[in-house]
């Protein structure tokens, strides 16, 4: 909308007796230029200022109460698919108080099945918003809550515990849930580089364990995300003193994350990424059996059978009793042998039958050799006969 359109819209609103906040941008009536008096009244004569401020404040409060009342009466379809809905039970402190991604939030949570059965109650539950530390229903809806707000959330199993359900809390498979959530607080996440090493290690472990939960639920993309966050924590520079033992512990967590990430990437068929994760893990721990095993599987899936067999044999040498590696190696050797047999058959078909051709050449060569021997013998006999005749004639 250009300036002329805005002016016409304002005039039309004025004529109809209605003033749009969107048109004017302020909570007062738009006036024509000829209606504006350039001579302002003396300050002491400009009465009613306090009353006008009070009226504006009351109007603003009334609007906020009306908006809050409307929110409490309506369900918000968060994703537009009717599978994740939010309803305000008690309004909070306004939109400006909403938490941001990356902040650590604290909530009070009551989890019910849709029949009303209470399955879990947690007070002061803390997690990093947007990191996938909790079920998606909470991660997505808490971002839309105001500080102090209480809300009711209805979620499909897809955004909760999925087709497998959960043992802790006790959630059956494919269960829809009703969540009562109160947003208690939100603070900026601590600077990882300034964290004490023990806290940093614990945080990385929590993120990795959350990735394991996603992996078990077959949410492999979310698992990769959690492992990536854990890796960033382990790889961050430390601005505080850290002991060699703590560095070794961080390295161990890092290698575990890389191994688990490779497993998730394999499930997603991201072979190049999985191979890169294995290579990184082996760069820190060359004899890591899990990294070698997964690297062998990736190479096999990429058709690099020779390298895959060598990698698996290396892993088996480190752990000869590992039945999983035995089975994978046997299967791979058999497959590689079958492939080589098929390739040889294809080459024979393309080039003809080299063995038959070789036999024919051998026979031709041998018959040619016999012909030369027979000719040489016949010549010798002929020469001998002539010599004998000459000797007899000389004697006579």
């Amino acid at each position: 909308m250009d300036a002329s359109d805005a002016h016409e819209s304002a005039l039309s609103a004025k004529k109809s007796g209605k003033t749009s906040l969107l048109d004017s941008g302020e909570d007062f009536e738009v006036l024509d230029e000829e209606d504006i008096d350039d001579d302002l009244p003396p300050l002491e004569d400009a009465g009613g200022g306090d009353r006008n401020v009070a009226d504006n404040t009351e109007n603003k409060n009334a609007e906020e109460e009306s908006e809050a009342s409307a929110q409490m009466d309506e369900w918000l379809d968060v994703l537009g698919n009717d599978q994740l809905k939010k309803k305000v039970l008690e309004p909070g402190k306004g939109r400006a108080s909403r938490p941001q991604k990356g902040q650590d939030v604290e909530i009070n949570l009551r989890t019910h099945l849709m029949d009303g059965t209470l399955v879990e109650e947690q007070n002061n539950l803390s997690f990093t918003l947007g990191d996938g530390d909790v079920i998606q229903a909470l991660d997505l809806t808490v971002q839309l809550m105001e500080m102090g707000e209480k809300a009711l959330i209805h979620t499909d199993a897809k955004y909760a515990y999925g087709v497998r359900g959960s043992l802790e809390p006790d959630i059956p498979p494919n269960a829809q849930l009703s969540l009562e959530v109160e947003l208690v607080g939100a603070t900026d996440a601590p600077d990882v580089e300034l964290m004490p090493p023990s806290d940093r290690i614990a945080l990385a472990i929590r993120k990795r364990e959350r990735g394991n939960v996603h992996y078990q639920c077959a949410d492999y993309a979310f698992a990769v995300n959690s492992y990536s966050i854990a890796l960033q924590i382990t790889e961050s520079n430390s601005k505080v003193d850290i002991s060699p033992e703590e560095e070794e512990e961080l390295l161990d967590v890092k290698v575990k994350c890389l191994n688990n990430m490779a497993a998730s990437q394999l499930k997603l068929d991201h072979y190049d990424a999985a191979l890169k994760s294995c290579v990184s893990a082996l760069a820190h721990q060359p004899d890591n059996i899990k990294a070698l095993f997964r690297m062998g599987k990736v190479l096999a899936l990429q058709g690099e059978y020779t390298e895959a067999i060598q990698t698996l044999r290396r892993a088996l040498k480190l752990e000869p009793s590992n039945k999983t590696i035995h089975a994978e190696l046997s299967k791979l050797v058999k497959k590689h042998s079958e492939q080589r047999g098929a390739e040889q058959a294809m080459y024979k078909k393309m080039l003809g039958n080299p063995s038959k051709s070789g036999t024919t050449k051998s026979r031709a060569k041998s018959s040619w050799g016999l012909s030369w021997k027979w000719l040489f013998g016949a010549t010798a006999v002929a020469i001998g006969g002539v010599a004998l005749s000459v000797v007899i004639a000389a004697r006579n």
Side-chain angles (χ1 to χ4, degrees):
M1 179 183 295
D2 57 23
S4 62
D5 292 337
H7 185 64
E8 290 176 6
S9 176
L11 290 175
S12 131
K14 181 185 173 185
K15 290 177 183 177
S16 63
K18 296 180 183 178
T19 302
S20 169
L21 293 178
L22 292 178
D23 293 332
S24 65
E26 298 290 346
D27 191 11
F28 53 79
E29 186 178 4
V30 178
L31 300 178
D32 292 331
E33 292 182 1
E34 57 269 19
D35 295 332
I36 299 175
D37 187 2
D38 291 335
D39 296 329
L40 298 177
L43 192 60
E44 60 271 14
D45 293 340
D50 293 341
R51 186 182 62 190
N52 292 336
V53 171
D55 290 343
N56 290 337
T57 303
E58 288 176 4
N59 291 337
K60 185 176 181 181
N61 291 338
E63 289 175 3
E64 290 180 352
E65 289 177 4
S66 176
E67 183 179 354
S69 176
Q71 288 179 350
M72 292 175 65
D73 293 338
E74 297 179 359
W75 284 95
L76 172 65
D77 190 354
V78 176
L79 299 175
N81 58 7
D82 206 36
Q83 295 181 344
L84 181 61
K85 298 184 293 183
K86 170 183 172 289
K87 182 179 181 181
V88 177
L89 299 178
E90 293 184 17
K93 298 180 180 178
R95 290 175 176 266
S97 65
R98 287 183 177 180
Q100 303 296 319
K101 280 187 177 181
Q103 285 189 313
D104 288 343
V105 296
E106 187 177 325
I107 64 171
N108 294 329
L109 172 67
R110 287 167 59 88
T111 303
H112 297 81
L113 301 179
M114 296 306 289
D115 62 5
T117 304
L118 178 65
V119 292
E120 185 182 33
E121 185 170 4
Q122 292 178 284
N123 291 326
N124 303 317
L125 171 63
S126 179
F127 61 93
T128 304
L129 197 59
D131 274 12
D133 294 343
V134 290
I135 59 175
Q136 292 182 59
L138 287 174
D139 223 359
L140 293 171
T141 54
V142 171
Q143 299 179 39
L144 305 176
M145 293 181 66
E146 300 168 0
M147 200 60 57
E149 177 185 328
K150 291 183 180 180
L152 182 62
I153 298 166
H154 285 178
T155 176
D156 187 77
K158 179 179 180 180
Y159 305 108
Y161 294 93
V163 296
R164 301 193 180 191
S166 169
L167 295 177
E168 184 59 39
D170 186 11
I171 307 290
N174 292 311
Q176 296 180 347
L177 299 178
S178 177
L179 311 171
E180 293 179 20
V181 183
E182 178 185 8
L183 180 56
V184 178
T187 57
D188 292 336
D191 189 344
V192 176
E193 295 182 352
L194 297 176
M195 291 178 68
S198 58
D199 292 349
R200 185 174 160 197
I201 293 168
L203 179 61
I205 291 174
R206 285 201 304 272
K207 299 295 184 181
R208 178 178 63 82
E209 289 175 347
R210 186 61 193 171
N212 294 347
V213 172
H214 288 307
Y215 185 90
Q216 291 164 3
C217 295
D219 293 329
Y220 303 117
F222 287 100
V224 169
N225 181 63
S226 293
Y227 295 138
S228 297
I229 294 170
L231 278 174
Q232 291 174 5
I233 295 170
T234 62
E235 293 172 347
S236 297
N237 295 324
S238 181
K239 295 181 180 178
V240 297
D241 293 336
I242 181 170
S243 67
E245 293 78 12
E246 290 168 332
E247 285 185 345
E248 188 65 27
E249 193 170 355
L250 271 173
L251 180 61
D252 186 61
V253 175
K254 178 179 180 179
V255 172
K256 287 179 179 178
C257 288
L258 287 167
N259 270 329
N260 293 353
M261 182 179 286
S264 301
Q265 290 162 337
L266 270 171
K267 292 290 187 179
L268 294 168
D269 296 335
H270 297 167
Y271 300 141
D272 290 338
L275 183 61
K276 185 177 179 180
S277 297
C278 293
V279 170
S280 297
L282 292 170
H284 297 293
Q285 295 179 1
D287 293 336
N288 188 286
I289 294 172
K290 288 184 178 180
L292 287 169
F293 176 72
R294 292 195 175 106
M295 184 175 180
K297 290 196 70 171
V298 174
L299 289 169
L301 289 168
Q302 291 181 323
E304 304 291 342
Y305 293 112
T306 302
E307 292 183 25
I309 290 171
Q310 291 174 352
T311 304
L312 289 176
R313 281 176 176 167
R314 181 178 162 192
L316 191 61
K317 187 176 180 181
L318 293 169
E319 195 173 312
S321 60
N322 192 309
K323 294 181 180 179
T324 304
I325 300 176
H326 263 292
E328 189 67 25
L329 183 58
S330 299
K331 181 176 69 176
L332 188 55
V333 169
K334 182 179 178 182
K335 189 173 182 178
H336 186 39
S337 177
E338 290 174 353
Q339 186 195 38
R340 290 183 63 185
E343 288 177 352
Q344 289 177 354
M346 181 183 67
Y347 290 148
K348 286 180 179 179
K349 189 174 182 181
M350 290 173 61
L351 302 175
N353 193 335
S355 59
K356 200 172 204 182
S357 175
T359 304
T360 304
K361 288 181 180 179
S362 177
R363 287 179 179 174
K365 184 178 180 180
S366 112
S367 61
W368 181 251
L370 287 173
S371 300
W372 272 104
K373 289 178 181 177
W374 179 85
L375 182 60
F376 181 76
T379 304
V381 169
I383 292 173
V386 171
L388 181 61
S389 300
V390 169
V391 170
I392 293 173
R395 286 181 178 180
N396 292 333

